[in-house]
């Protein structure tokens, strides 16, 4: 299935630690147990980021969120209903 | 009747090694009990309440398998437990002996351990181990070791983990494997030894084990009656090994203490034909009345769903306090079942979202740019880049896809007019994979470092030519081997064409090697020519029938087998075609002389590629065109003369394609079957190429296409790889005088040609 193929490709990409797909209400967990923590926190952050962008300019919308920390890079591709979260270790 | 328990250390009868007897419980139930800590939650779903026990002890109990009387020294069997969980329950007594919320907590246990205990009914010694022994637990844990590693039943939402709280599987596990407290007596602590009161005490007052990050169950996994129940009714894992020789065997006769280690039997023996408790409804905290309904099976979802729900549910209770229980319950209800999840995954929106999201994420993942890069210590790495800049042609990217381009030949390439980084490559069929679609077109992206195609398109028949539809940025046109023209749209989620031309005599019935969109924004057509000489013009909105068609015949008889086609810059009416017989023809689409006009003979083999001069500048060279052929040569022509102006004979293999640079007037590229990519600059030298590179592995290079910027060249080879080369600046960027120089060069070429012909003519004469 195209979804699984693509997902597998992302998961096996160099440096990727985890991938999570979240929906607006609950979760579809696809990976390990730190998932839930990430999913919940990032969901909140994404909502906040989106509302910030929209407050500044109501015509605007959040298209991609990327958090670079010392150890990891967290990428969030948001949508109306879902979030695709990928955590990567960029130095690998 | 029921469950035997672990093998006894000695031949002592069961009671003296102190199992939790009914008597103990009885005593417990009628004693005041410890004061309850305030932070202990009370739910009706998971804990063995004093009330339950009380009721059990005083109720007739389940039908006994054998005729054994049920005495007050009788044992709490699995059967009892089971029956307890599934029977309606006792009426609530108004004068409950313990508390109105009476649960059996660790605190109770603790208190129990430190109290003198009940007077024994018989002369049974009461040992300091007179409780659920470690042996029991150990046996349980090791024969049913998987309990610790299996998801278990869904947990009650409100279980906190506190040090005064509940006995988790992890605790037990940890306890069994940790050194433990110093033993009060000289009792050895062995793996079959007893969980002493001291141990238990120690456990209860120690911080507890560090939670492993890969906890088999969850950090909130409690050993509840429900767990036990579930445990007893699930088949259990195959045993890894049999414990120390003893076997556990479900023997209805309680006096025999033979235990077989067959967990299957264990499971089976206990399975009393009840459905598993799978869906547990956790009512709100406020209700403290003991409600049996929650423990009866309410629905029959599969066990795996339980596991999933549990996994999702488990981490949450640990963090949330009781006030948030309502939220938790809501969340739990929304946790997805397997079916729902699959449904969701297949829904339109999800697929569209995932398509977009994964594309962006893949690009982002491949970016290796480190914006925090520190140059102060890393000069060395930079120098590499400098060396490349001076080179003539350097390989920039290689595109191939393991699944879609392997074993296929690249049949056509086209750069997108709108997005200069997009390149479409079409491939023919994969002989090694007859079940895969014959025709594949992949859109590659130069801008990002990801190595997978932006878009993947297929169709039924091998794609021989492909192009981006010039005035429709979302459409890709393909001409196939069957004669069909297919149209793919990157807005649709499908990989198959959104439109196809019919396979009929009005359209094409031979392979279509050339497709091109010509015209202007408001008036454009798709032109396609097949190898039987038929040229059709189509409107992109309606591919069900051609707007116009024309048979290209030479001298009213011979149909031209067209292999390549080119339109001069700015011209929509006149064009040139190359054919299999080695001749190049000029033709018109409309007008009185519609059809073939002139023939240009000169090649000795089929013409494989044609390109009309397209670099606009001060001087117009649109009468020039070049052709490549199987006869190892590339010939330069002008529409003004039917003899070639010049023949480039540097190659030693079939020349498969040739193209003028879109920016430099005197530069063109050609590729041949020995893997060579040559760049010729007419102003520098007409005898040898100005730059040449040989592709690794020497595959036959089938196509060559300059990018619209004139700085990059894409080539497609017979192994299905698309290679993009960066051309060095000094070669590909034209200087201001290139045009005038080309004029002089052409004059020279002309003179040489005339001289050469004169000489040839003289020789003939002589």
């Amino acid at each position: 299935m195209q979804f699984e193929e693509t997902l597998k490709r992302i998961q096996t990409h160099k440096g990727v630690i985890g991938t999570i797909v979240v929906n607006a209400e609950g979760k579809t967990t696809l990976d390990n147990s730190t998932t839930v923590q990430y999913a919940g926190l990032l969901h909140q952050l994404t909502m906040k980021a989106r509302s910030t962008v929209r407050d500044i300019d109501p015509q605007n919308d959040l298209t991609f969120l990327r958090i670079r920390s010392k150890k990891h890079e967290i990428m969030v591709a948001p949508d109306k209903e879902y979030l695709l979260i990928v955590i990567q270790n960029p130095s690998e | 009747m029921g469950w035997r328990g672990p093998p006894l250390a000695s031949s002592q009868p069961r009671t003296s090694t102190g199992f939790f007897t009914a008597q103990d419980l009885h005593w417990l139930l009628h004693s005041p009990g410890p004061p309850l800590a305030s932070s202990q939650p009370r739910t009706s779903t998971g804990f063995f309440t004093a009330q339950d026990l009380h009721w059990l002890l005083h109720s007739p109990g389940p039908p006994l398998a054998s005729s054994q009387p049920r005495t007050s020294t009788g044992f709490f069997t699995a059967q009892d437990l089971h029956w307890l969980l599934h029977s309606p329950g006792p009426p609530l007594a108004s004068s409950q002996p313990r508390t109105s919320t009476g649960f059996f907590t660790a605190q109770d246990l603790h208190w129990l351990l430190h109290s003198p205990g009940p007077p024994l009914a018989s002369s049974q010694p009461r040992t300091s181990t007179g409780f659920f022994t470690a042996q029991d637990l150990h046996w349980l844990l090791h024969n049913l070791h998987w309990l610790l590693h299996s998801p278990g039943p869904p947990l009650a939402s409100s279980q906190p983990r506190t040090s005064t709280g509940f006995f988790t599987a992890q605790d037990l596990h940890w306890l069994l494997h940790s050194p433990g407290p110093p033993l009060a007596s000289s009792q050895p602590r062995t793996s079959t030894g007893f969980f002493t009161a001291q141990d238990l005490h120690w456990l209860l007052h120690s911080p507890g084990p560090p939670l492993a990050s890969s906890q088999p169950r969850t950090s909130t996994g409690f050993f509840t009656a429900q767990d036990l129940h579930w445990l007893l009714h699930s088949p259990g894992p195959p045993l890894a090994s049999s414990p120390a020789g003893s076997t556990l065997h479900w023997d209805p006769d309680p006096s025999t203490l033979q235990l077989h280690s067959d967990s299957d039997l264990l499971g089976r023996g206990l399975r009393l034909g009840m459905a598993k408790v799978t869906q547990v409804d956790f009512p709100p905290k406020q209700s403290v009345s003991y409600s049996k309904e929650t423990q009866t099976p309410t629905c029959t979802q599969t066990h795996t769903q339980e596991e999933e729900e549990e996994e999702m549910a488990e981490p949450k209770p640990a963090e949330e306090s009781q006030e948030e229980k309502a939220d938790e319950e809501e969340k739990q209800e929304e946790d997805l079942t397997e079916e729902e999840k699959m449904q969701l995954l297949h829904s339109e929106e999800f697929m569209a979202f995932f398509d977009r999201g994964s594309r962006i994420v893949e690009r982002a993942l491949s970016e290796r740019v480190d914006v925090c890069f520190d140059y102060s210590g890393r000069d060395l790495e930079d120098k590499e880049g400098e060396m490349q800049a001076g080179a003539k042609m350097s390989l920039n990217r290689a595109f191939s896809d393991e699944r879609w381009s392997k074993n296929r030949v690249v049949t056509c390439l086209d750069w997108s007019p709108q997005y200069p980084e997009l390149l479409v490559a079409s491939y023919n069929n994969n002989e090694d994979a007859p079940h895969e679609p014959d025709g594949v077109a992949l859109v590659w992206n130069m801008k990002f470092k990801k190595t997978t195609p932006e878009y993947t398109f297929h169709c039924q028949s091998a794609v021989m030519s492909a192009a981006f539809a010039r005035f429709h940025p979302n459409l890709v046109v393909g001409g196939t081997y069957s004669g069909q023209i297919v149209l793919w749209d990157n807005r649709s989620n499908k990989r198959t064409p959104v439109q196809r031309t019919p396979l009929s005599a009005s359209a094409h019935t031979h392979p279509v090697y050339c497709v091109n969109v010509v015209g202007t924004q408001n008036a454009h057509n798709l032109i396609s020519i097949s190898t039987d000489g038929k040229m059709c013009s189509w409107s992109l909105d309606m591919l069900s029938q051609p707007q116009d068609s024309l048979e290209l015949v030479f001298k009213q008889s011979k149909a031209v087998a067209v292999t390549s086609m080119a339109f001069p810059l700015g011209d929509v009416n006149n064009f040139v075609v190359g054919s299999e017989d080695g001749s190049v023809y000029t033709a018109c689409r409309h007008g009185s002389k519609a059809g073939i006009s002139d023939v240009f003979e000169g090649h000795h083999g089929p013409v494989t590629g044609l390109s009309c001069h397209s670099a606009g500048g001060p001087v117009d060279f649109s009468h020039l065109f070049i052709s490549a052929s199987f006869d190892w040569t590339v010939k330069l022509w002008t529409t003004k003369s039917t003899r070639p102006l010049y023949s480039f004979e540097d190659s030693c293999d079939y020349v498969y394609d040739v193209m003028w640079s879109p920016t430099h007037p005197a530069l063109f590229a050609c590729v041949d079957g020995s893997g060579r990519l040559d760049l010729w600059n007419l102003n520098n030298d007409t005898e040898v190429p100005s730059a040449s590179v040989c592709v690794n592995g020497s595959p036959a290079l089938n196509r060559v296409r300059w990018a619209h910027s004139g700085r990059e060249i894409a080539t497609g080879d017979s192994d299905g790889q698309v290679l993009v080369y960066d051309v060095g600046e000094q070669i590909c960027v034209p200087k201001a005088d290139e045009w005038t120089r080309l004029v002089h060069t052409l004059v020279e070429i002309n003179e040489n040609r005339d001289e050469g012909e004169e000489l040839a003519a003289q020789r003939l004469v002589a």
Side-chain angles (χ1 to χ4, degrees):
Chain A
M1 191 183 36
Q2 209 171 323
F3 163 71
E4 275 160 6
E5 242 177 68
T6 311
L7 191 67
K8 186 147 179 268
R9 217 168 47 218
I10 295 180
Q11 282 175 329
T12 53
H13 201 282
K14 198 160 94 134
V16 169
I17 296 173
T19 37
I20 310 168
V21 175
V22 184
N23 76 353
E25 300 101 355
K27 303 158 190 71
T28 332
T29 61
L30 293 162
D31 214 346
N32 61 36
S33 56
T34 43
T35 290
V36 176
Q37 196 185 24
Y38 267 107
L41 294 170
L42 284 168
H43 192 262
Q44 288 176 37
L45 182 64
T46 310
M47 292 302 117
K48 188 73 185 170
R50 178 177 269 151
S51 66
T52 306
V53 166
R54 293 192 111 143
D55 284 345
I56 293 173
D57 177 6
Q59 308 287 331
N60 206 351
D61 194 9
L62 181 70
T63 51
F64 196 72
L65 184 64
R66 208 181 202 187
I67 303 164
R68 187 71 186 269
S69 70
K70 274 199 278 196
K71 296 185 194 170
H72 306 307
E73 177 149 17
I74 301 171
M75 289 172 258
V76 180
D79 187 76
K80 279 197 300 256
E81 273 197 23
Y82 301 94
L83 293 185
L84 173 62
I85 301 172
V86 176
I87 302 132
Q88 186 193 30
N89 184 347
S91 59
E92 277 180 39
Chain B
M1 41 171 213
W3 181 53
R4 299 262 139 251
L8 297 174
S10 66
S11 56
Q12 275 173 338
R14 192 177 169 86
T15 62
S16 63
T17 58
F19 300 121
F20 231 158
T21 67
Q23 204 177 28
D24 296 350
L25 294 171
H26 183 89
W27 172 76
L28 178 69
L29 290 170
H30 291 90
S31 49
L36 295 173
S38 57
S39 61
Q40 283 166 347
R42 299 296 191 215
T43 68
S44 55
T45 59
F47 302 114
F48 244 122
T49 68
Q51 205 175 25
D52 294 342
L53 298 172
H54 178 89
W55 172 69
L56 177 70
L57 291 170
H58 293 85
S59 51
L64 298 175
S66 69
S67 57
Q68 228 189 13
R70 184 188 181 79
T71 67
S72 64
T73 61
F75 301 119
F76 234 127
T77 67
Q79 204 175 23
D80 294 341
L81 209 58
H82 176 85
W83 175 72
L84 174 72
L85 291 171
H86 291 88
S87 43
L92 294 177
S94 57
S95 56
Q96 285 164 353
R98 252 169 121 263
T99 66
S100 61
T101 58
F103 291 93
F104 231 101
T105 67
Q107 204 179 34
D108 297 340
L109 208 56
H110 175 77
W111 173 74
L112 183 66
L113 290 171
H114 295 271
S115 51
L120 296 174
S122 66
S123 58
Q124 277 171 356
R126 183 186 178 82
T127 68
S128 63
T129 64
F131 296 99
F132 220 43
T133 69
Q135 208 174 25
D136 294 347
L137 294 173
H138 180 86
W139 171 76
L140 194 67
L141 290 171
H142 286 261
N143 288 305
L144 301 166
H145 173 79
W146 55 274
L147 170 69
L148 291 176
H149 298 274
S150 54
L155 296 172
S157 59
S158 59
Q159 292 160 349
R161 181 193 175 77
T162 68
S163 62
T164 58
F166 310 108
F167 237 107
T168 69
Q170 203 180 24
D171 294 335
L172 295 171
H173 184 85
W174 172 71
L175 183 65
L176 287 172
H177 293 88
S178 55
L183 295 174
S185 65
S186 58
Q187 231 180 14
R189 182 191 180 81
T190 67
S191 62
T192 59
F194 302 118
F195 235 131
T196 66
Q198 203 175 25
D199 292 339
L200 214 50
H201 176 87
W202 175 68
L203 174 71
L204 291 171
H205 291 86
S206 54
L211 295 178
S213 57
S214 57
Q215 284 157 9
R217 214 154 158 279
T218 66
S219 60
T220 59
F222 302 119
F223 232 120
T224 64
Q226 207 175 23
D227 293 339
L228 205 58
H229 174 81
W230 172 74
L231 174 71
L232 293 170
H233 287 81
S234 42
L239 295 175
S241 63
S242 56
S246 65
T247 49
L248 310 157
H249 168 62
W250 290 99
D251 189 334
D253 185 358
S255 60
T256 52
L257 297 166
Q258 210 187 359
L259 305 160
H260 291 291
S261 64
D262 186 352
S263 64
D264 276 357
L265 209 52
L266 181 94
R268 264 184 260 128
L270 269 181
R271 201 169 292 145
L272 301 172
M274 304 284 289
K276 294 179 193 167
V277 175
T278 54
Q279 174 74 354
V280 180
D281 242 335
F282 304 116
K285 180 219 189 278
Q286 293 74 19
S287 149
V288 291
S289 63
Y290 180 74
S291 161
K292 275 288 198 186
E293 285 121 38
T294 59
Q295 288 172 329
T296 51
T298 51
C299 69
T300 51
Q301 286 173 9
T302 63
H303 197 54
T304 52
Q305 284 172 346
E306 258 186 86
E307 293 178 15
E308 277 193 356
E309 283 172 61
E310 202 204 30
E311 278 172 355
M312 291 181 265
E314 278 162 0
K316 285 183 279 191
E319 278 105 38
E320 280 154 17
S321 66
Q322 291 165 20
E323 292 85 49
E324 281 158 44
K325 216 189 281 189
D327 293 276
E328 278 177 87
E329 279 152 15
E330 243 185 61
K331 270 193 211 165
Q332 275 180 327
E333 276 157 18
E334 288 170 36
D335 279 336
L336 302 167
T337 63
E338 188 65 40
E339 286 143 13
E340 279 178 43
K341 180 171 158 182
M342 289 315 288
Q343 215 181 9
L344 210 60
L345 289 183
H346 284 106
S347 72
E348 268 305 307
E349 312 149 2
F350 184 83
M351 296 191 64
F353 146 73
F354 192 76
D355 195 42
R356 276 197 311 271
S358 65
R359 185 168 297 130
I360 299 178
V361 161
E362 279 201 70
R363 292 179 194 158
L365 278 176
S366 308
E367 293 300 309
R368 282 274 167 264
V369 174
D370 183 6
V371 297
C372 312
F373 197 74
D374 183 7
Y375 286 94
S376 60
R378 312 273 176 114
D379 285 332
L380 293 165
E381 278 181 40
D382 250 23
K383 290 204 178 126
E384 276 177 40
E386 273 177 33
M387 284 188 340
Q388 294 282 341
K392 290 184 172 180
M393 270 202 290
S394 59
L395 181 62
N396 186 349
R397 296 292 291 273
F399 290 116
S400 74
D401 185 82
E402 187 59 39
R403 181 158 178 220
W404 293 113
S405 68
K406 210 169 128 173
N407 274 327
R408 296 179 192 249
V409 176
V410 177
T411 50
C412 195
L413 291 173
D414 189 38
W415 291 90
S416 165
Q418 206 197 23
Y419 295 109
E421 65 270 17
L422 291 185
L423 168 67
V424 65
S426 61
Y427 303 81
N428 71 349
N429 58 325
N430 182 347
E431 276 155 15
D432 289 344
H435 301 294
E436 298 269 319
D438 277 355
V440 171
L442 303 176
V443 176
W444 299 97
N445 192 333
M446 282 285 299
K447 195 150 98 160
F448 302 110
K449 296 192 178 70
K450 77 168 186 167
T451 54
T452 49
E454 277 292 321
Y455 296 101
T456 308
F457 297 123
H458 348 116
C459 69
Q460 299 285 45
S461 163
V463 185
M464 308 312 291
S465 56
F468 278 100
R470 193 139 48 109
F471 303 103
H472 297 263
N474 294 305
L475 301 181
V476 175
V477 183
T480 67
Y481 194 75
S482 61
Q484 267 191 330
I485 315 257
V486 290
L487 199 64
W488 287 286
D489 191 333
N490 67 3
R491 289 168 294 196
S492 80
N493 283 332
K494 303 191 301 173
R495 291 178 165 192
T496 49
V498 295
Q499 271 200 77
R500 264 176 270 248
T501 60
L503 272 173
S504 75
S506 61
H508 294 288
T509 49
H510 278 68
V512 175
Y513 277 100
C514 328
V515 285
N516 206 352
V517 176
V518 296
T520 60
Q521 174 77 40
N522 294 325
H524 55 269
N525 287 112
L526 171 66
I527 308 288
S528 61
I529 309 190
S530 56
T531 52
D532 61 353
K534 188 150 181 206
M535 183 191 87
C536 291
S537 90
W538 311 79
S539 158
L540 281 169
D541 304 318
M542 199 190 65
L543 287 183
S544 55
Q545 100 179 32
Q547 280 189 339
D548 201 9
S549 68
L550 184 59
E551 293 282 342
L552 294 170
V553 283
F554 180 55
K555 289 202 166 89
Q556 268 84 38
S557 56
K558 213 172 57 155
V560 173
V562 173
T563 54
S564 47
M565 161 182 88
F567 277 81
L569 189 65
D571 201 334
V572 295
N573 196 19
N574 301 299
F575 56 98
V576 282
V577 287
S579 79
E580 279 177 4
D581 61 12
S583 317
V584 179
Y585 301 88
T586 50
C588 292
R589 281 174 62 201
H590 307 294
S592 53
K593 291 205 314 182
I596 300 283
S597 321
D598 292 316
V599 61
F600 297 76
E601 283 166 353
H603 278 299
H604 303 293
V607 175
T608 51
L610 264 189
S611 177
C612 286
H613 193 276
S614 52
V619 187
D620 176 35
F621 292 109
S622 56
H623 57 95
L624 291 180
F625 62 93
I626 39 177
S627 58
S629 154
F630 272 19
D631 66 0
W632 299 7
T633 65
V634 174
K635 294 198 192 310
L636 171 67
W637 311 77
T638 169
T639 49
K640 299 173 194 162
S641 162
T642 54
R643 286 167 309 132
L645 273 182
Y646 194 83
S647 180
F648 301 89
E649 294 179 10
D650 188 63
S651 180
C652 304
D653 203 339
Y654 299 162
V655 184
Y656 279 107
D657 201 11
V658 67
M659 184 174 176
W660 285 105
S661 159
T663 52
H664 193 304
L667 191 62
F668 67 88
C670 66
V671 284
D672 68 6
S674 59
R676 255 180 45 181
L677 165 62
D678 295 331
L679 287 186
W680 296 80
N681 187 330
L682 295 174
N683 288 342
N684 288 357
D685 196 340
T686 54
E687 305 260 321
V688 284
S690 304
S692 179
V693 82
C694 194
V695 171
N696 266 342
S698 303
L701 297 176
N702 203 24
R703 283 300 211 170
V704 69
R705 278 282 169 274
W706 285 88
H708 294 297
S709 62
R711 307 286 298 263
E712 284 152 350
I713 299 185
T715 62
D717 67 18
S718 55
D719 293 330
Q721 256 204 340
V722 174
L723 302 166
V724 180
Y725 285 88
D726 276 335
V727 184
E729 275 189 34
Q730 64 270 46
I731 301 186
C732 68
V733 177
K735 303 175 202 42
D737 63 347
E738 296 288 351
W739 281 260
T740 42
R741 280 177 66 194
L742 187 58
V743 176
H744 294 304
T745 313
L746 284 177
V747 166
E748 268 179 38
I749 291 178
N750 239 329
E751 282 172 359
N752 291 341
R753 182 179 66 149
D754 290 337
E755 273 178 23
E757 279 170 11
E758 273 179 32
L759 279 173
Q762 278 172 4
R763 261 188 249 119
L764 277 175
V765 166

